[in-house]
Every structure is written in structure tokens, then in C-alpha cells.
Amino acid sequence: MNIEDNKIASFHYTLSNTQGEEIESTRDKEPMTYLHGARNIIPGLEKVMEGRSVGDEFQAIVEPVEAYGERKEANVQRIPSKHFKKANQLKPGEILKIQTKRGPVQVTVLKVGRFNIDVDANHPLAGQTLIFDVEITAVRDATEEEIAHGHVHGPEGVEH
Ligand code: ZN
């Protein structure tokens, strides 16, 4: 069975940057499972999954525009520390969710000053070319319910 729209595919991957440093891997845990064609994974990866089947191993090099986008300097912001609950406990590199007018946003703390906190709302992988080493481990038909919801159900997906 090949991966195409409305199939559920599972795969192991190791993600590295162009310097050859490993960023994350599923090798020591469960494979990633997703509904193909529903934009559940980054576009550049979904594209190269098309037509693959169980046992296929390949490398995909994904440019930022097809991954987490380019970094935007406007996403780096200085926020008065009084807007944070525990400003004095924050540390650079920490990831937290802040409330904005447009809803919750995940940010990385860059700098903790006395009166202000500098945060970066860019995705940690924005601006990076990503190298995925992929192995397809399972492909199955999606259920009608999964197609209607646009995501995987069951132990490997959403339970509800
Ligand atoms: Zn659902």
C-alpha cells in the first residue's frame, strides 16, 4: 500500500541540521503517525512521503519555506517583566506560552533583564534547512471518522 491522501502512515525519522547535528529522533520511541494530505506534518516532508510504502528509507532535505518558515526579526520582542507571572525565575532558552491579543503564542526566552524580558516567537526551527532521514514503518487506510476530523485516532493519535 502506498502513501497517498487519506492513508495513515507511520515513520521513524532522525532530524538533523545542515551542520550534521541531530535535533530530534523517533528512533528510541514510537514512530510518528499522521494522516496524509491533511497538513499534519510540514509541507516539504509530506510532499516526499507521497507514493512511499513500508520499508522505504530515504533522506529528505527541506528548505525553511517548506518547513517552519523564515525567521522574522519582528517576532523578537521586548516585554515588560510585570506581564510575566514569575519573571525573576525565567531563564534564557526557556520555552513558554504567552497570551497575546491574537491568542496564545509559544516563545523562547532570549534575555531576562530587570525590567524587560526579550522573547522570540519564531519557531525554534524557523530559518533552518532540515534534513530528515526517514523510514516508513506502516501504512493503512484512514477511517471515515479520521478523514472527517483531519487527524489520526487511537493510541498513536488523538483519543476522544
Ligand atoms: Zn478526532
Side-chain angles (χ1 to χ4, degrees), residues 145-146 149-153 158 160:
E145 196 183 48
E146 285 172 324
H149 286 202
H151 55 229
V152 180
H153 286 168
V158 181
H160 64 162

Side-chain angles (χ1 to χ4, degrees), residues 13-25 59 124-125 128-133:
Y13 70 90
T14 299
L15 168 59
S16 314
N17 60 23
T18 49
Q19 286 87 55
E21 295 159 341
E22 184 176 315
I23 298 166
E24 59 184 41
S25 176
Q59 187 174 71
L125 296 176
Q128 292 200 47
T129 297
L130 305 177
I131 301 170
F132 289 91
D133 285 291

Side-chain angles (χ1 to χ4, degrees), residues 87-130:
N88 54 354
Q89 291 172 27
L90 292 175
K91 290 190 177 63
E94 208 169 307
I95 293 172
L96 43 108
K97 235 178 220 161
I98 60 171
Q99 298 299 327
T100 71
K101 283 173 203 146
R102 284 167 294 158
V105 174
Q106 185 168 293
V107 300
T108 307
V109 175
L110 293 182
K111 199 174 138 205
V112 181
R114 222 168 128 195
F115 303 109
N116 296 291
I117 314 278
D118 291 353
V119 298
D120 184 354
N122 288 293
H123 188 282
L125 296 176
Q128 292 200 47
T129 297
L130 305 177

